[in-house]
Amino acid sequence: MTNTADKGDRLASAVSRIRGLLGEANCLVEPAAVEPYVVDFRRLYHGSTPLVALPSTTAEVSAVLAVCNELGVGVVPHGGNTSYCGGATPHAAGDEIVVGLRRLNRIRELDPANHSLVAEAGCVLADVQRAAESVERLFPLALGSEGSCQIGGNLSTNAGGLAAVKYGVARDLVLGLEVVLADGRVLDELKSLRKDNTGYDLRHLFLGAEGTLGIITAASLKLLPRPRTIETLFAAVADPEAALELLGRLRVASGDDVTTFELLPRSAVELVCEHVNPTADPLGGTHAWYVLCEVSSARDDPSLRAAIELELERALEAGLVIDAVFATSGPQREALWRLRESIPEAQRRAGASLKHDVSVPVASLPAFVARASAAALAVVPDARLVTYGHAGDGNLHFNLSVARDGDDALFLARGSDVEAAVLDIVREFRGSISAEHGIGQLKRAQLKSYKGPVALSVMHSIKQALDPNGIMNPGKVLADR
Ligand code: MLT
Ligand code: ZN
């Protein structure tokens, strides 16, 4: 058992050795410089740290981790700070060192013939997308935060986003990884192979581990041909059931080229119009539900639009679709996307919110929405339901906003009751309590009751094997601290 003084000495020693390793210019210690690294994106957590280390090479990350492991000092990996679950925020005790990856931001390799690129962890997602575009390729991970989030964080949290219905989640887009382990050893699995059947697939341990097993420093990512035809439409639909029926029809009509299928309730459109852009509503009239759908083809395909239009006409006749609009220009397409991507910001401006990032089997989505809405409103009858998200993946942001002129504190005080009601229903549908945002520190308690005992015990064994001193992102995902 070590005493507090010893702990303080070890922390001070780690700070001084890392300052020596990286140089003063790459070590932030002043409170104002450190501040952006200790507050999470949603402002749920305010941590503290004596040092933000900014390594620029894998060797430097390795040296930093070796020091921290030797001295038993916690390390918090930090990317673009867009986590919804406090995954990159240090503990308030101030005894952990933050390792910011932003200087590790090179595209090491761009290989259009292999349909792959190798990016370092600190590359901003939009820069990875642009690198792919520069060689007529597509890196299909698409997130509202793509202008600031970093690929290392995307992979560590196994981000989902807006195109997963066609391309899968972050984990599905990785060919190989380079990871610095807790003790500083470098795990070089940075291969760009489509086939490599050589025992345990180690990359998947680190994808979604949220920095609790090591730090991803680089990744080989899958690319696809750049789409040459993109059709974007916004449709009012009767209800979530009609939305899913439409999805099935559009998948067939497009030759299974639906790349985005997002469900939005009227409340989300109204919040965006009220708080972000008064002219955001693309359709006249008031409709209960909408979908934003994008269909993309790698071919120049003038017939795609006609095929979708024909299917939409049939859906209108069948009463599934009530009204619809196609984007006929780049700016119109951007406006439709902006409407969808502005929902989190609109909710933020509308006052307190409660968020549940859940998934159920796609076919169960309508029944889930009905049950969970009733259960949530039974707890907070005057709240505004803002249930939106990636319907094509069965992933909804089952969110609520405080009533207009409602009391934020009173509303938030009911948060755990609402969550219990919603998550009980998620479990009934054999869904997930965290579909794409991860666990971080926010959902650690829920994870304990959600995962079965055998799964939890295997997870603890892996953590123990790779990080026996418990230095990697302490208090996130599994471990209490
Ligand atoms: C989204 O899809 O907009 C994000 O995952 C954020 C959210 O949950 O609000
Ligand atoms: Zn989302």
Side-chain angles (χ1 to χ4, degrees):
M1 189 63 135
T2 52
N3 62 33
T4 316
D6 173 46
K7 209 173 160 190
D9 289 348
R10 287 186 283 113
L11 181 62
S13 167
V15 169
S16 128
R17 282 172 63 182
I18 292 168
R19 289 172 85 163
L21 278 169
L22 301 184
E24 293 302 319
N26 303 313
C27 289
L28 310 178
V29 292
E30 296 304 327
V34 162
E35 183 64 12
Y37 293 83
V38 297
V39 182
D40 71 302
F41 174 74
R42 290 176 65 190
R43 304 195 164 275
L44 298 174
Y45 301 98
H46 201 147
S48 173
T49 183
L51 172 67
V52 177
L54 298 172
S56 77
T57 62
T58 303
E60 286 182 349
V61 176
S62 159
V64 170
L65 262 56
V67 166
C68 291
N69 191 53
E70 180 193 325
L71 295 168
V73 169
V75 172
V76 181
H78 194 96
N81 203 27
T82 55
S83 167
Y84 270 65
C85 303
T89 309
H91 193 269
D95 55 5
E96 297 162 356
I97 286 171
V98 172
V99 176
L101 279 309
R102 68 173 163 80
R103 295 181 64 235
L104 219 76
N105 62 355
R106 300 162 201 93
I107 301 288
R108 288 190 195 165
E109 201 179 291
L110 191 50
D111 188 344
N114 195 50
H115 284 81
S116 64
L117 68 74
V118 175
E120 293 185 342
C123 290
V124 170
L125 174 55
D127 292 335
V128 176
Q129 295 166 339
R130 273 192 283 271
E133 269 164 36
S134 72
V135 290
E136 290 294 301
R137 297 290 179 259
L138 170 78
F139 179 60
L141 190 66
L143 307 174
S145 57
E146 61 200 21
S148 57
C149 63
Q150 295 171 10
I151 192 70
N154 300 149
L155 301 181
S156 295
T157 57
N158 186 29
L162 297 151
V165 65
K166 171 78 176 176
Y167 302 114
V169 296
R171 159 184 318 283
D172 301 313
L173 303 171
V174 176
L175 295 171
L177 283 184
E178 176 187 87
V179 182
V180 178
L181 302 179
D183 61 8
R185 282 179 300 161
V186 178
L187 175 70
D188 181 1
E189 288 283 296
L190 199 53
K191 298 169 187 159
S192 297
L193 304 173
R194 255 74 190 178
K195 286 189 163 182
D196 176 21
N197 209 355
T198 50
Y200 304 149
D201 194 336
L202 300 177
R203 89 201 124 148
H204 287 294
L205 284 179
F206 301 94
L207 298 165
E210 302 185 38
T212 60
L213 300 178
I215 296 185
I216 294 174
T217 46
S220 173
L221 302 170
K222 279 184 205 169
L223 305 181
L224 295 135
R226 184 180 68 79
R228 291 174 184 278
T229 311
I230 300 177
E231 300 294 347
T232 310
L233 70 106
F234 189 80
V237 292
D239 49 33
E241 204 155 2
L244 288 187
E245 173 67 26
L246 180 65
L247 170 62
R249 291 176 177 219
L250 292 178
R251 283 185 70 168
V252 175
S254 66
D256 209 9
D257 270 339
V258 173
T259 43
T260 290
F261 196 84
E262 297 286 308
L263 182 69
L264 291 70
R266 178 70 196 165
S267 60
V269 175
E270 284 175 357
L271 282 179
V272 173
C273 289
E274 187 179 341
H275 296 282
V276 182
N277 171 14
T279 63
D281 186 352
L283 298 173
T286 302
H287 307 285
W289 293 93
Y290 302 89
V291 297
L292 171 66
C293 175
E294 199 152 271
V295 179
S296 324
S297 166
R299 283 178 296 169
D300 277 319
D301 187 358
S303 68
L304 186 62
R305 172 71 163 268
I308 303 298
E309 268 172 354
L310 180 63
E311 201 52 56
L312 264 185
E313 269 164 39
R314 289 180 181 147
L316 273 157
E317 278 162 26
L320 298 171
V321 169
I322 301 156
D323 196 2
V325 63
F326 272 92
T328 53
S329 67
Q332 269 186 18
R333 175 178 178 239
E334 279 158 31
L336 293 178
W337 274 95
R338 219 174 307 120
L339 164 61
R340 164 61 184 87
E341 291 180 346
S342 301
I343 300 171
E345 179 58 23
Q347 259 208 297
R348 185 143 64 158
R349 294 186 193 177
S353 60
L354 300 172
K355 299 193 168 206
H356 312 87
D357 165 41
V358 300
S359 63
V360 293
V362 178
S364 303
L365 198 128
F368 170 78
V369 171
R371 294 267 318 277
S373 303
L377 290 179
V379 183
V380 279
D382 57 353
R384 289 176 281 179
L385 290 172
V386 191
T387 305
Y388 70 96
H390 321 292
D393 313 325
N395 172 195
L396 287 176
H397 301 304
F398 188 87
N399 295 355
L400 296 91
S401 278
V402 65
R404 202 182 293 279
D405 304 322
D407 183 307
D408 279 3
L410 285 178
F411 173 68
L412 291 176
R414 306 307 312 277
S416 50
D417 293 337
V418 175
E419 183 183 271
V422 172
L423 297 190
D424 277 353
I425 297 168
V426 168
R427 283 190 187 92
E428 274 182 46
F429 283 95
R430 290 188 66 84
S432 172
I433 59 158
S434 184
E436 63 167 2
H437 292 168
I439 301 298
Q441 43 191 316
L442 182 67
K443 297 183 188 161
R444 222 172 32 195
Q446 293 89 326
L447 186 78
K448 278 187 192 159
S449 59
Y450 169 72
K451 286 273 182 198
V454 178
L456 276 177
S457 142
V458 172
M459 286 169 81
H460 278 286
S461 304
I462 293 169
K463 172 78 176 167
Q464 180 61 29
L466 289 178
D467 181 22
N469 298 330
I471 66 155
M472 290 311 310
N473 217 0
K476 314 288 165 43
V477 185
L478 277 180
D480 297 324
R481 63 146 289 168

